[in-house]
Amino acid sequence: MTALTGAWGLPRASLAVLLAFGASALMLSAGRAEFLELHTVLDTTVAVLSGMLALLLWDMAQHTDSPFVRWLSIAFSVTFALELLHVVVSIDWLGRMAWVADARAYLRPATWSPSAYLLPLAVCGALWRLQSGRGHVAVFLGLGGLAGAVLFVLYQQLPPYTAANALGFTRPSLVGVPLLWAGVAVWAWRLRDRHRIAGPTAWAAAIMMIGHTAILYSTAPADSQGMIAHLGKIAGYLIILLWVMRAMAHDMRERFAAEAALAREVEARAQALASAHENLGREAAERQRADSKARAQLERLNLLHQITRAIGDRQDLESIFQVAVRSVEQQLPVDFACLCDYDEATRVLTVVSVGAKSRELGLSLAAPEPMAFRADENALVRCIEGALTYEPDISGLPFPLQAQLSLAGIHALVAAPLQVENKVFGCFLAGRLEPDSFQSEDCEFLRQLSEHVALAAHQAQLYGALQRAYDDLRQSQQVVMQQDRLRALGQMASGIAHDINNALSPVALYTEAMLETEKGLSPAARSQLEVIRRAVEDVGHTIGRMREFYRQREPQLPGAPLQLNELARQVLDLTRPRWADMTMHRGAMVRVETDLAQGLPLVLGAESEIREALTNLVFNAIDAMPEGGTLTVRTSVADEPGWVRIDIVDTGVGMDDEARRRCMEPFFTTKGERGTGLGLAMVYGVAQRHGAEVDIRSTPGAGTTFSLIFPAATRNARGGPAELEAPPPMRLLLVDDDPVLLKALSDALSNDGHQITPANAGQEGIDSFARGQDGHPFDAVITDLGMPYVNGRQVAAAVKAASPETPVILLTGWGQGMLSGVEGIPNIDLVLSKPPKLREVRAALARQARKAAE
């Protein structure tokens, strides 16, 4: 039975329905009889089953979104309406519904036959929709309703029964019904692979075909043949109904199974997510610990850097030790810190500096006489041998120093050696109240700090010794020490000079070219381009001088006659965005006034350096007026003949005596994190190189006056630049790894009539030189110094190896150190700095052309 059910596609209950239908048909066909009560029951059953099928099929269509099932539902809905009317008219109605009973004679026969035809026709429409995939529900409903109305009207005119014809049919008007159901059965069976309900529809159609064949021989509404037809309808409906219920049960089981599987998957995923969340939590905690450790390490490095900078500005041991001790006390922090000097001959440690945090303990160790104790007797042997020593708890140690510290409440103690060149000359002691309160990071920080303090102390000792030995060279020694403290800045300047100069080079070249070649520029545009040119030159000079703040003015320093009034106007133009716009954004107005003396003598000097010094003074004056005020730029002839004075006056916060005395020191600043402490140091360096004097007058709350007093130039000095001889047109090879600079320089030299061959790399330049320009050798080669893979020196070597007489001009952005001469640079005829100036390049080419002509 299971195999049979699986093969036919019907549930077992459907087979029972078929058997019951067969048995009932045999019993009813045994003889003719009238079954009035059974007729009413069967009519009612047919109506109820058609309504149930309409509802169930519509629900299935809603869940499966199947147009075929939806059309079947509509077919059974229309049939249900006719079947319900067929049942209703059979009831003996009274009162207001009596008209229904009165119309029974023509309504009852006119409702059976239309429903018999309408259902197979509607099922055919649904099968057509399944096969073709076309059609609209509204059209289907309209056609169904129209067909029902036509059949209703038609069967009111046709007689329900006739005399038996040649085939014995007594109801020939229904002969088309079994034929329609036969067609539906064949068509649905062929489409059973298209939809799962098509197979049961075929079986139902076959049963209803048999039932409606029996009604062709019916002679009365309730005879045996009529009952067989009713049973055929019920059997067909039940087959579809049972199949739908089985399908719904199957779908429900699959849904339950899917939900169970989904629940299991959700549970598995939830477990996986919980596990992943737990892993992420552990990872986050681990990362948080790592981040905390990294932040702590970064803070320690920053603290070490701050202390190193602080002690680097000091030249005496006392101030170095005091800065180190107090910085560790306040920022590490510790409850006690001191520095001890070590005498190797006597192996005695002497307290030389104590922090202020533990005042009573500090006084007992350092006042009135510094405490001295032997290292051997105080468990500090490993420290004076060069190893860091950590005692988690010194309360039980029987040594004088530890006992005195323990009485003051200190329990944890770290001793770090001050060592230079494997020689210990002191010891750094740090303590805390809580036992075992120093972590490994704290000990490592103290070890590194002791190394820095030792180096700073060693430098201070060397400095003191040199001062005592060479009093006559004190000034030069001061310069050396200051330059040593600024070594880090010099290294930084050397590292970034090349990139900055490369970036400025196209700006400088195009600006100079526009000033020379664009004759139609407006006065305002030309003035603005002049400001840009001066600013670019000032930046280039600044980069070259960042390591030379305190270099004394060399006797051979080239200088040009300069007018301080003109420089003052230029500086105000350059700084206008700062004092005009930025101060307005802060809501603080800065009013600028000028008092420029007429007929002011010229001064000799480097224009860019003096302009930069004045710019720094203007910026300092603006910063000193956070609430606004008046900035005055004044020039005059100094009281002493032969000197010219320029004053930068502000009405700001002013300086006290200590700040005024130290304001020229590098890295000294009163601006906090906003300041670098280098601006006034650069001003002082410029003044020194020009033989000028610096005068500072300041009163707290009343403003500051910075004055630069320059020696006046001689009467026969001329301020105009010398006319340069233009070089003849030349074939030039340009080599640079910066394409923007390469194009800018190529454009500028092409405008001068030169034939340019650019090369964007060192090797490309060597290859281009070997090929020549249109078969002719190059007259000169201009190459950058810093290039990847093949640098400028290698390019110059290759050029000189191939053609020793070809001049090679080297461009460098690495600072002024490369411009001291070409004696130490083989294969180079001339060195020019970046950003290159057209007049310098032209002068170099003209000089090389003259050499070649000679």
Side-chain angles (χ1 to χ4, degrees), residues 618-634:
V618 169
F619 283 160
N620 275 1
I622 295 171
D623 291 338
M625 297 183 290
E627 304 299 328
T630 301
L631 170 66
T632 304
V633 179
R634 181 172 55 237

Side-chain angles (χ1 to χ4, degrees), residues 792-809:
R793 296 175 186 270
Q794 294 169 307
V795 172
V799 169
K800 290 296 185 180
S803 176
E805 68 279 0
T806 300
V808 177
I809 300 174

